[in-house]
C-alpha cells in the first residue's frame, strides 16, 4: 500500500467536516470529536484536512513545512475522524487508511518530527521507547510468575510497554496476576524478552520498524505455543487486531484483552467481584480498546460501477464503523461494584473523545495532549463523576497527570487499580 | 505558492496574531477543495486557492481584516463551516476569512431565540436549545452546518421546515461587516436593545441582503445573528438508538412516526392540503425512496446488494407510492390521541395507506426528519448530480412539477448519466405548513465527466422549463452566479436589483463570490436571451452537453 494507492479514496472526501464532530451532540461544549482540530483550528488539522494535505502532496501542491508536519502529527491517530467519516460516507473515503499512508510518506521522506528519531532509535535498541530492555520486568520482581519463554503455559500474558515501565501501573499488573493465580490459570509472561508490539511505530509512519517489532512479537507468541494471548495493553490489543492485518501478519492464537479474560472468569464462576463503593464512576473508552480495536480485514478488490453511476467495492469489503471495538465488557465489570453509581460521559463508545495520550503525540506536542485530556476530564466532571475509570494504562497515566496538574476534583483510576482498591483482592 | 504579498500578510498578522494567519501551501489547499459535484465537479483541488486564511475571533477583527483588504484592493470571502460546493474563494489569492473561532452562543429561551456567531453548528444549537424546550431549523446539510451561514447567505430550506420554517424567516437581527469594513447592526440589534427583530423602520434589510437564496459571500461578512427557535415537546436530551451509522432517536410516547403513501401525486397533493389545514403534523418530509434505502444501509455495496436482491424494505422501494414521512408530536397524551385520530381520518378519507415500517426504521427516519443527520449519508452514492427548480409555491403544483422533472430526467437516465434506480428523486417538504418546496435531485458519480455534465444540463433544462412556463411551476430558487442573469428577468428582473445592491455596498467588488451576481453582466449572460432559444432544442443537444463539459472540467 502506498499514498498513491489511496488516491481514489481521498478524492471522495466531500469536505463536509463531519470528521470534526460527534453526530448528535448533547451539548455545545462536548460536541467535538477531534482533538487535533480543536488544537490547531485550521481545517488542515482535521481528519478531512489531513486527507487534503495527502492529496495535495500527490499533486505536488504541498511542500514540507513546520505547519504541514504539525498539522499531521499533532494528532493521536485516535480514529474518531474515520468513524465519523464512515458515518456519512460509508466505504468511500476510509480515512484512517489514508492517514496511515500519509504518515508513512512523511516518515519515509525523513520529515517526521525530530523527537521521533530518538523514539525510533530506542525502539530499535531497547524494544521499547519508555526505558531499557533489562528494566522491562522490574514490576514482576518478587512475584512468582512462569517465564513463558522457558516453560509452556496455556495463556501468554502480554504486558505492554506502558504497564511495564510506568511504576504507577504496577499495582494493576500485580493485581491481575493475583486474579489469574486465584482462578487457577496456567499463564506466563515473557519478562525482558517482550518488545513493543509495533503500534506506535506504525502510527508514526515507521511501517518497517513496526513490521520488525511485530515479527519479534509474533515469534514470541509462536514459540510459547500458548493457545490464548491475553494482553494487559489496550494499545497492543488495537495493534494486534487493526495494525497486524495491515502489515499482512496474523496471530494464530486467540487474542483477548485482560478485561475480557477476567470477565469470562467471573461469568464462569471462577472469580467473584466483591466490591463496594459510594463513588460516581464514569468509564472512558480508550480509542485503542474501542474503535481502533475493531479488526481490520485485508481486502483485495476494486471499485466497479453498478446502476450506471454507483461506485461500489467488489468484492464487498467489511467496513470498520467503530462499533466492533471493545465497549461493554469493561462496563459490565464496573457494574458489579455494589453501591457505585455509573454515569456516561456525553461522548462514549465509538464516539468517545481521545484523551490525548495515544500515538505518542504528547512527545512532540505536549500542550496538544494536555488540551485533549483537559476536555475529557471536564466532560467527566460535567457528567457528575467523582472517579474516571479507564482500561488503558496509557490513558490512565496521562489523564491522572493532567487531572493532578489542574487540581481537579476527580480521581483517575485504571479499572483493575480501582478493583484492587475496593476489594484488596478478588475472592475465588 | 501564495499570491498574497508579504506586506499584506504581515498586516494581517499584526491584526490577528501570527498564529491565526496562514499561507502554507497545504493549509491553502484545504480551502481549495470541492468534494461535492457542482460547477467544477470533476476536480477536487481546484487550483483556485486563497492567498491566506485568517481566523478572526471578533467582529472588530473581521472589520479590521476587511479594511486591510479594501486598502490593498484584495478580495476576501467569508467561510463558516465550508460544507458544500460554494465554500471556496471566487478568485485565487483572495483572503479566506474562516470564522471558526467565532462560535459564541447565547439562548434567550423566554423570547424563543438564539444569538449566535458563524461557527456555532446546527448540532450545537440543537443540543442547547433542546435543554430549554426549544428546537431549531436544520437544513439538509445536517448538524455540521452553520445556521448563521444558512440564514444569512445560502438558501435555508430544510426537512423540519413545516414547524421550523425556513431560514429566510428565521433570521431575526443581524450584525454585518459590510464589504467596506463598516460594522452595521440591523433591526433591534441596531438600536442597542435586545436582538429581537430584524426589521427597523424603512426597507427590510433581510430582503436586500439575502432574499430566497442569499449572497453567498458576495456582500461582506455576517458576524452575529438573532435566530428564531421553535417550541419542542420532545425530551431535553435526545436519546439515541442504534449504532454508528444507523442511529435513530427513541420515540417518546407523545411522538408518532408514520410513513403514508397515496397512489398518485394528485392524491398526495390533495391530502397535503388537508394535513396543512388540520395543523396536526409537526414534520412532514418526502425523502425519495432510493435515499431512504441509502439511509437504511451502511455502505453503497450493501445498498446495491439489497436493491438487486429485492431485500430493501417497503419504505425504500420505488413502488412505495407517493407520500410523506410524518412525525406527530404533542405535549400530552390527550393531544397526541387527538392528532392521531385526525391523522387516521385524513389518511382514510384521502385514500392513503400506511407503508409498513419497523421500529428501527421509524427511529432512524424520525431522527432524519428532525436533525437531517442521515441526509448526507444518502448523498454518499455519488457526490455529484443535478437538481431541479426549487419550488416555493402552492402544493397544487406538486403533480405538475414532479412529472415535468421526471420527463426531463428520461434522456439523461437513458444515457446512463444518473444512478439508474428511478426518476423519482423528489425531496419535498412544506415550510410553515403552506409553502411547498421540492427538488428532484438525481445523483451521479462526480468523477464521471459525461455524467456530471449531463446532470448540469438537466439542472439548466429544469430552470429553463420553469422560465418558459412563466411561473406556473414555481420559482427557481438557485439563481447562483450567472443563473441570476439568465433567469432573473423572468422573476421580476430580480438580477437588476441584486446588481444594484452589490454595486452599492461593494463598489470595488472585493467581497469575492463568483456565486453571487457579478458587477457587470458576463458574456454568457448577454448572449443568453438568444442562446436559450436554440440550446434546448434536440438539434443543439450536443452543443449544450459540450458546453457543460467545459464548465465542469
Ligand atoms: C448534503 C447537503 C445537503 C444540503 N441541504 C440543504 C438544504 O436542505 N437546504 C439548504 O438551504 N441548503 C442545503 N445545502 C447547502 C447548504 O446551504 C450549505 O452547505 C450551508 O448552508 C452552508 O453552511 P456552511 O456553514 O457550510 O457555509 P459555508 O460553506 O461556509 O458557506 C456557504 C456560503 O455562504 C457564505 N458565507 C458563509 N458564512 C458567511 C458569513 N458569516 N458571512 C457572509 N457569507 C458567509 C460563504 O461565502 C459561501 O458562499 C446542503 C448541502 C449539502 C452538502
Ligand atoms: S474526511 Fe470524511 S468526514 Fe471529513 S470532510 Fe472528508 S468526507 Fe467529510
Ligand atoms: S485521528 Fe483523532 S486527532 Fe487525528 S485527526 Fe482524526 S480525530 Fe483528529
Amino acid at each position: 500500500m502506498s499514498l498513491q494507492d489511496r488516491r481514489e479514496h481521498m478524492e471522495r472526501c466531500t469536505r463536509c467536516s463531519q470528521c470534526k464532530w460527534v453526530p448528535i451532540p448533547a451539548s455545545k461544549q462536548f460536541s467535538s470529536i477531534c482533538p487535533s482540530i480543536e488544537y490547531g483550528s485550521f481545517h488542515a488539522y482535521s481528519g478531512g484536512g489531513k486527507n487534503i494535505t495527502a492529496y495535495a502532496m500527490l499533486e505536488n501542491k504541498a511542500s514540507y513545512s513546520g505547519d504541514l508536519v504539525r498539522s499531521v502529527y499533532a494528532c493521536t491517530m485516535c480514529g474518531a475522524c474515520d468513524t465519523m467519516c464512515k458515518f456519512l460516507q460509508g466505504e468511500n473515503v476510509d480515512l484512517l487508511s489514508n492517514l496511515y499512508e500519509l504518515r508513512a510518506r512523511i516518515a519515509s521522506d525523513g520529515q517526521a518530527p525530530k523527537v521521533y528519531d530518538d523514539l525510533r532509535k530506542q525502539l530499535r535498541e531497547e524494544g521499547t521507547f519508555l526505558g531499557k530492555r533489562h528494566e522491562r520486568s522490574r514490576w514482576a520482581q518478587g512475584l512468582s510468575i512462569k517465564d513463558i519463554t522457558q516453560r509452556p503455559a496455556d495463556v501468554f500474558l502480554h504486558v505492554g510497554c506502558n504497564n511495564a515501565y510506568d511504576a504507577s501501573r504496577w499495582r494493576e499488573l500485580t493485581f491481575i496476576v493475583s486474579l489469574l493465580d486465584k482462578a487457577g490459570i496456567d499463564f506466563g509472561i515473557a519478562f525482558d524478552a517482550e518488545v513493543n508490539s509495533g503500534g506506535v511505530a506504525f502510527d508514526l509512519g515507521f511501517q518497517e520498524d513496526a513490521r520488525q517489532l511485530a515479527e519479534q512479537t509474533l515469534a514470541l507468541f509462536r514459540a510459547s505455543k500458548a493457545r490464548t494471548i491475553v494482553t494487559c495493553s489496550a494499545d497492543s490489543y488495537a495493534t494486534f487486531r487493526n495494525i497486524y492485518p495491515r502489515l499482512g501478519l496474523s496471530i494464530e492464537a486467540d487474542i483477548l484483552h485482560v478485561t475480557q479474560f477476567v470477565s469470562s472468569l467471573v461469568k464462569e464462576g471462577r472469580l467473584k467481584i466483591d466490591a463496594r463503593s459510594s463513588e460516581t464512576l464514569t468509564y472512558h473508552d480508550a480509542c485503542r480498546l474501542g474503535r481502533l480495536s475493531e479488526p481490520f480485514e485485508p481486502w483485495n478488490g476494486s471499485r466497479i460501477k453498478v446502476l450506471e453511476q454507483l461506485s461500489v467495492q467488489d468484492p464487498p469489503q467489511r467496513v470498520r464503523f467503530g462499533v466492533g471495538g471493545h465497549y461493554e465488557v469493561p462496563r459490565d465489570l464496573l457494574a458489579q461494584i455494589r453501591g457505585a453509581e455509573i454515569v456516561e460521559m456525553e461522548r462514549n463508545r465509538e464516539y468517545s473523545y481521545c484523551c490525548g495520550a495515544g500515538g505518542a503525540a504528547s512527545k512532540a506536542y505536549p500542550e496538544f495532549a494536555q488540551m485533549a485530556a483537559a476536555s475529557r476530564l471536564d466532560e467527566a466532571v460535567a457528567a457528575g463523576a467523582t472517579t474516571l475509570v479507564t482500561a488503558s494504562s496509557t490513558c490512565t497515566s496521562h489523564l491522572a497527570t493532567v487531572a493532578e496538574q489542574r487540581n481537579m476534583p476527580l480521581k483517575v483510576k485504571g479499572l483493575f487499580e480501582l478493583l484492587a482498591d475496593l476489594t484488596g483482592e478478588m475472592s475465588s | 505558492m501564495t499570491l498574497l504579498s508579504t506586506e499584506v500578510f504581515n498586516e494581517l498578522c499584526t491584526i490577528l496574531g501570527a498564529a491565526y494567519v496562514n499561507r502554507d501551501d497545504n493549509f491553502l489547499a484545504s480551502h481549495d477543495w470541492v468534494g461535492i459535484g457542482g460547477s467544477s465537479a470533476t476536480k477536487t483541488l481546484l487550483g483556485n486557492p486563497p492567498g491566506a486564511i485568517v481566523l478572526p475571533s471578533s467582529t472588530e477583527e473581521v472589520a479590521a481584516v476587511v479594511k486591510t483588504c479594501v486598502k490593498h484592493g484584495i478580495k476576501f470571502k467569508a467561510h463558516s463551516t465550508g460544507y458544500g460546493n460554494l465554500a471556496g474563494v471566487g478568485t485565487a489569492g483572495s483572503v479566506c476569512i474562516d470564522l471558526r473561532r467565532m462560535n459564541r452562543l447565547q439562548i434567550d429561551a423566554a423570547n424563543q431565540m438564539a444569538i449566535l456567531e458563524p461557527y456555532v453548528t446546527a448540532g450545537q444549537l440543537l443540543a442547547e436549545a433542546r435543554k430549554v424546550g426549544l428546537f431549531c431549523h436544520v437544513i439538509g446539510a445536517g448538524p455540521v452546518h452553520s445556521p448563521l451561514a444558512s440564514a444569512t447567505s445560502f438558501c435555508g430550506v430544510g426537512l423540519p421546515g413545516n414547524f421550523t420554517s425556513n431560514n429566510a424567516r428565521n433570521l431575526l437581527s443581524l450584525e454585518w461587516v459590510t464589504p467596506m469594513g463598516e460594522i452595521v447592526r440591523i433591526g433591534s440589534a441596531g438600536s442597542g436593545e435586545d436582538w429581537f427583530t430584524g426589521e427597523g423602520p424603512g426597507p427590510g434589510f433581510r430582503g436586500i441582503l439575502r432574499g430566497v437564496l442569499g449572497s453567498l459571500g458576495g456582500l461582506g461578512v455576517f458576524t452575529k445573528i438573532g435566530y428564531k427557535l421553535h417550541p419542542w415537546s420532545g425530551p431535553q436530551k435526545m436519546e439515541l438508538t442504534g449504532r454508528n451509522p444507523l442511529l435513530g432517536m427513541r420515540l417518546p410516547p407523545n411522538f408518532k412516526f408514520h410513513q403514508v403513501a397515496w397512489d398518485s401525486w394528485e392524491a398526495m397533493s390533495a391530502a397535503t392540503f388537508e394535513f396543512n389545514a388540520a395543523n396536526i403534523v409537526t414534520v412532514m418530509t418526502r425523502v425519495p425512496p432510493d435515499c431512504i434505502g441509502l439511509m437504511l444501509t451502511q455502505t453503497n455495496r450493501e445498498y446495491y446488494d439489497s436493491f438487486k436482491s429485492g431485500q430493501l424494505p417497503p419504505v425504500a422501494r420505488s413502488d412505495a407510492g407517493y407520500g410523506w414521512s410524518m412525525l406527530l408530536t404533542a405535549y400530552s397524551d390527550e393531544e397526541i390521541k387527538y392528532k392521531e385520530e385526525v391523522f387516521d381520518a385524513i389518511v382514510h378519507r384521502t385514500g392513503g395507506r400506511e407503508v409498513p415500517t419497523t421500529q428501527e426504521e421509524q427511529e432512524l427516519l424520525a431522527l432524519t426528519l428532525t436533525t437531517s443527520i442521515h441526509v448526507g449519508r444518502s448523498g454518499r452514492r455519488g457526490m455529484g448530480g443535478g437538481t431541479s427548480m426549487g419550488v416555493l409555491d402552492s402544493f397544487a403544483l406538486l403533480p405538475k412539477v414532479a412529472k415535468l422533472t421526471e420527463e426531463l430526467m428520461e434522456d439523461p437516465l437513458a444515457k446512463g448519466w444518473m444512478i439508474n434506480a428511478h426518476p423519482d428523486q423528489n425531496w419535498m417538504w412544506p415550510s410553515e405548513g403552506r409553502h411547498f418546496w421540492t427538488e428532484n435531485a438525481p445523483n451521479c458519480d462526480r468523477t464521471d465527466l459525461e455524467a456530471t455534465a449531463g446532470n448540469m444540463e438537466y439542472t439548466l433544462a429544469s430552470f429553463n422549463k420553469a422560465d418558459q412556463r412563466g411561473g406556473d411551476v414555481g420559482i427557481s430558487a438557485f439563481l447562483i452566479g450567472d443563473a441570476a442573469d439568465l433567469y432573473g428577468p423572468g422573476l421580476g428582473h430580480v438580477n437588476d436589483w441584486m446588481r444594484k445592491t452589490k454595486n452599492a455596498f461593494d463598489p470595488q467588488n472585493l467581497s469575492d463570490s463568483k456565486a453571487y451576481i457579478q458587477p457587470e453582466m458576463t458574456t454568457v449572460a448577454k448572449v443568453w436571451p438568444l442562446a436559450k432559444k436554440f440550446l434546448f432544442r434536440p438539434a443543439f443537444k450536443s452543443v449544450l452537453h459540450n458546453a457543460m463539459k467545459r464548465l465542469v472540467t
Side-chain angles (χ1 to χ4, degrees):
Chain A
M1 188 62 69
S2 71
L3 197 59
Q4 181 63 32
D5 295 332
R6 304 299 310 163
R7 173 185 280 269
E8 210 189 329
H9 283 87
M10 290 175 199
E11 275 173 345
R12 304 263 159 184
C13 164
T14 61
R15 208 193 183 286
C16 63
S17 288
Q18 186 65 68
C19 46
K20 296 170 186 164
W21 308 107
V22 296
I24 303 286
S27 73
K28 177 171 180 286
Q29 189 181 0
F30 304 116
S31 52
S32 170
I33 203 159
C34 169
S36 190
I37 183 72
E38 291 296 301
Y39 170 71
S41 288
F42 288 96
H43 184 74
Y45 281 84
S46 67
K50 292 172 173 66
N51 185 70
I52 297 175
T53 296
Y55 192 86
M57 283 169 66
L58 284 180
E59 296 276 298
N60 291 324
K61 287 187 173 166
S63 36
Y64 284 116
S65 68
D67 278 341
L68 185 150
V69 172
R70 190 178 314 109
S71 68
V72 174
Y73 278 89
C75 156
T76 52
M77 297 299 276
C78 70
C81 51
D82 179 63
T83 296
M84 286 320 306
C85 182
K86 284 174 177 145
F87 177 91
L88 271 195
Q89 310 297 348
E91 69 271 55
N92 286 352
V93 183
D94 191 10
L95 182 56
L96 189 59
S97 300
N98 304 348
L99 300 190
Y100 286 137
E101 292 313 318
L102 169 62
R103 284 182 166 214
R105 163 67 87 85
I106 296 176
S108 76
D109 287 349
Q111 300 287 341
K114 290 294 159 236
V115 289
Y116 296 130
D117 290 349
D118 289 344
L119 179 147
R120 213 174 151 202
K121 189 161 164 269
Q122 204 179 352
L123 270 177
R124 284 177 176 171
E125 288 170 4
E126 305 292 343
T128 181
F129 63 99
L130 294 174
K132 299 275 180 209
R133 193 183 294 272
H134 64 84
E135 292 170 341
R136 180 175 275 275
S137 56
R138 268 196 311 162
W139 69 273
Q141 271 168 20
L143 298 176
S144 151
I145 307 175
K146 194 188 271 186
D147 182 348
I148 203 161
T149 64
Q150 304 300 319
R151 284 188 295 147
D154 291 344
V155 172
F156 190 129
L157 187 67
H158 175 268
V159 176
C161 288
N162 197 71
N163 286 314
Y165 289 98
D166 181 346
S168 72
R169 302 294 98 218
W170 293 356
R171 186 162 136 69
E172 282 203 287
L173 286 179
T174 50
F175 183 64
I176 289 167
V177 165
S178 75
L179 291 180
L180 301 194
D181 279 340
K182 278 222 165 66
I185 304 297
D186 172 27
F187 72 99
I189 62 171
F191 287 87
D192 292 347
E194 190 182 301
V195 291
N196 182 283
S197 52
V200 72
F202 191 89
D203 279 349
L204 293 172
F206 306 118
Q207 294 193 358
E208 267 320 299
D209 293 87
R211 177 182 300 284
Q212 280 171 26
L213 290 163
E215 279 168 356
Q216 289 173 48
T217 302
L218 289 177
L220 271 181
F221 289 167
R222 266 193 305 272
S224 78
K225 298 204 171 60
R227 280 166 297 154
T228 306
I229 317 286
V230 174
T231 181
C232 303
S233 156
D235 296 353
S236 298
Y237 187 63
T239 305
F240 298 150
R241 285 163 51 106
N242 171 42
I243 305 295
Y244 283 15
R246 290 177 194 268
L247 292 166
L249 303 171
S250 55
I251 302 177
E252 281 125 41
D254 291 338
I255 287 282
L256 296 173
H257 186 256
V258 64
T259 48
Q260 277 173 306
F261 192 62
V262 168
S263 170
S264 66
L265 296 176
V266 172
K267 281 203 181 110
E268 287 163 18
R270 294 167 76 177
L271 283 176
K272 208 163 105 224
I273 295 180
D274 188 11
R276 171 176 285 283
S277 165
S278 56
E279 296 275 321
T280 305
L281 310 175
T282 193
Y283 177 71
H284 163 70
D285 289 286
C287 311
R288 282 163 178 77
L289 196 53
R291 55 188 167 244
L292 285 171
S293 78
E294 178 161 349
F296 174 85
E297 284 177 16
W299 173 81
N300 210 341
S302 57
R303 276 185 205 258
I304 53 165
K305 268 219 188 140
V306 294
L307 299 174
E308 308 290 359
Q309 288 290 321
L310 183 67
S311 170
V312 298
Q313 315 280 82
D314 190 50
Q317 180 185 16
R318 193 181 164 281
V319 177
R320 299 169 68 252
F321 283 97
V323 297
H326 186 54
Y327 300 109
E328 302 312 323
V329 172
R331 286 179 168 79
D332 290 348
L333 284 173
L334 278 186
Q336 305 211 15
I337 301 175
R338 280 171 294 123
E341 190 191 346
I342 298 175
V343 291
E344 286 289 352
M345 285 186 270
E346 288 179 16
R347 299 170 287 191
N348 60 59
R349 297 180 171 81
E350 63 266 35
Y351 307 128
S352 172
Y353 188 73
C354 175
C355 70
S362 59
K363 292 248 173 241
Y365 307 103
E367 72 290 1
F368 156 69
Q370 277 162 15
M371 180 223 72
S375 172
R376 195 56 169 160
L377 293 164
D378 287 345
E379 189 178 353
V381 171
T386 51
T387 303
L388 178 149
V389 186
T390 169
S392 156
S393 66
T394 313
C395 301
T396 317
S397 305
H398 179 62
L399 284 166
T401 307
V402 177
E404 201 181 309
Q405 280 164 359
R406 297 175 84 218
N407 206 9
M408 292 186 74
L410 182 76
K411 285 175 241 156
V412 176
K413 296 272 176 193
L415 199 153
F416 288 101
E417 182 187 5
L418 179 74
L419 292 178
D421 284 352
L422 297 178
T423 60
E425 55 180 333
M426 276 185 183
S427 49
S428 57
Chain B
M1 206 38 211
T2 181
L3 296 168
L4 198 79
S5 74
T6 302
E7 182 196 358
V8 179
F9 181 80
N10 289 343
E11 256 181 68
L12 293 171
C13 290
T14 308
I15 296 167
L16 302 175
Y20 300 116
V21 186
N22 197 293
R23 55 176 177 165
D24 201 73
D25 283 353
N26 81 300
F27 282 45
L28 300 181
S30 75
H31 284 259
D32 184 30
W33 182 272
V34 168
I36 299 184
S39 57
S40 302
T42 52
K43 272 188 281 185
T44 44
L45 269 181
L46 296 178
N48 196 50
I53 305 151
V54 298
L55 292 172
S57 68
S58 68
T59 305
E60 289 68 28
E61 285 186 357
V62 172
V65 167
V66 169
K67 281 189 173 143
T68 300
C69 291
V70 171
K71 185 172 98 186
H72 295 279
I74 290 167
K75 289 181 186 273
F76 59 87
K77 188 171 178 216
H79 180 104
S80 286
T81 73
Y83 191 6
N85 51 6
L86 303 166
V89 296
T91 314
S94 300
V95 171
C96 169
I97 305 180
D98 183 336
L99 296 153
R100 183 180 160 89
R101 291 172 71 219
M102 294 182 64
N103 66 351
R104 294 162 197 97
L105 167 66
Q106 185 191 330
I107 295 199
D108 178 354
N111 291 307
Q112 299 185 14
M113 68 182 292
I115 298 164
L116 52 95
E117 292 188 335
Y119 210 81
V120 173
T121 67
Q124 294 175 331
L125 177 58
L126 256 189
E128 298 303 327
R130 270 197 314 261
K131 290 179 187 169
V132 291
L134 295 169
F135 210 77
C136 71
H137 183 56
V138 187
I139 61 160
V144 293
H145 81 279
S146 152
L148 180 144
S150 174
T152 59
S153 306
F154 194 172
C155 197
V157 295
L159 278 67
N162 193 43
F163 97 107
T164 55
S165 188
N166 70 65
N167 277 334
R169 295 161 72 92
N170 286 324
L171 176 63
L172 299 172
S173 3
L174 186 64
E175 182 179 78
W176 175 37
V177 175
T178 72
M180 301 301 288
E182 281 173 78
I183 299 173
V184 176
R185 292 192 182 89
I186 289 167
S188 49
S191 72
E193 294 302 317
D194 276 347
W195 287 61
F196 197 75
T197 175
E199 309 294 11
F205 264 81
R206 283 186 302 189
I208 291 174
L209 293 178
R210 80 172 316 287
V212 71
L213 182 68
S215 55
L216 295 149
L219 282 179
V221 186
F222 302 102
T223 45
K224 202 195 280 187
I225 59 169
Y227 189 62
K228 202 187 291 173
L229 299 174
H230 306 268
W232 168 247
S233 60
Q236 293 189 335
K237 188 166 178 282
M238 198 172 274
E239 193 187 336
L240 295 177
T241 58
R243 294 298 288 269
N244 194 49
L246 302 180
L247 291 183
M249 65 180 270
R250 174 102 46 230
L251 290 168
N254 54 337
F255 275 44
K256 300 288 174 206
F257 176 88
H258 295 281
Q259 184 75 23
V260 195
W262 290 265
D263 289 333
S264 66
W265 291 123
E266 284 79 3
M268 177 183 166
S269 166
T272 305
F273 278 107
E274 294 216 24
F275 278 113
N276 286 345
N279 195 21
I280 53 153
V281 182
T282 305
V283 187
M284 56 199 291
T285 284
R286 182 170 198 276
V287 179
D290 287 343
C291 291
I292 294 185
L294 284 149
M295 292 175 184
L296 295 176
T297 50
Q298 302 189 61
T299 62
N300 286 342
R301 178 71 205 214
E302 185 193 342
Y303 167 74
Y304 171 65
D305 289 342
S306 310
F307 178 89
K308 278 296 271 191
S309 60
Q311 298 295 305
L312 284 171
V315 67
R317 289 208 278 263
S318 51
D319 59 5
Y322 307 90
W324 294 112
S325 301
M326 291 178 163
L327 189 64
L328 277 59
T329 67
Y331 285 92
S332 65
D333 294 348
E334 290 73 25
E335 189 188 350
I336 197 71
K337 191 161 166 283
Y338 160 77
K339 287 183 169 175
E340 286 276 274
E341 280 170 7
V342 177
F343 172 87
D344 286 343
I346 296 176
V347 172
H348 183 70
R349 192 163 58 234
T350 56
R353 63 176 189 282
E354 188 103 29
V355 178
T357 44
T358 63
Q359 187 183 330
E360 288 77 22
E361 288 161 11
Q362 292 190 12
E363 289 173 349
L364 183 141
L365 288 169
L367 189 68
T368 306
L369 294 191
T370 48
T371 68
S372 289
I373 183 75
H374 293 292
V375 174
R377 291 190 51 239
S378 72
R380 73 175 188 268
R381 61 180 165 171
M383 273 99 83
T387 192
S388 63
M389 68 291 258
V391 178
L392 265 176
D393 211 306
S394 163
F395 273 92
L397 302 185
L398 190 160
K400 201 188 305 179
V401 174
K403 283 179 192 159
L404 203 67
T405 55
E406 290 184 18
E407 270 169 40
L408 289 173
M409 279 168 68
E410 276 171 18
D411 185 45
L413 271 172
K415 291 201 166 93
W417 289 340
M418 293 167 173
I419 289 183
N420 192 7
H422 203 270
D424 164 19
Q425 303 298 332
N426 288 288
W427 294 81
M428 300 175 175
W429 53 77
S431 269
E432 293 181 2
R434 67 183 290 281
H435 295 80
F436 162 52
W437 175 267
T438 186
E439 283 175 78
N440 196 351
N443 277 120
C444 71
D445 184 338
R446 53 157 298 177
T447 61
D448 182 327
L449 175 60
E450 297 291 338
T452 306
N455 277 273
M456 289 292 283
E457 234 174 294
Y458 159 74
T459 304
L460 208 58
S462 164
F463 286 16
N464 206 54
K465 194 59 98 182
D467 192 39
Q468 278 172 359
R469 296 181 68 115
D472 82 341
V473 287
I475 62 164
S476 297
F478 299 119
L479 293 191
I480 294 173
D482 274 352
D485 279 323
L486 309 193
Y487 298 113
L491 295 168
H493 291 279
V494 65
N495 51 324
D496 293 341
W497 292 100
M498 287 162 80
R499 181 161 285 117
K500 280 182 193 169
T501 309
K502 170 79 180 166
N503 289 338
F505 288 116
D506 188 12
Q508 295 183 54
N509 188 25
L510 295 178
S511 196
D512 173 45
S513 177
K514 288 276 163 63
Y516 194 51
I517 199 154
Q518 297 304 297
E520 304 282 343
M521 261 202 187
T522 61
T523 313
V524 172
K526 283 182 190 152
V527 301
W528 186 252
L530 184 65
K532 73 178 180 184
K533 294 202 172 99
F534 301 98
L535 271 181
F536 296 97
R537 291 185 188 168
F540 286 84
K541 261 194 166 311
S542 63
V543 178
L544 181 61
H545 186 64
N546 287 332
M548 292 300 111
K549 265 167 70 175
R550 272 201 299 281
L551 190 70
V552 299
T553 28

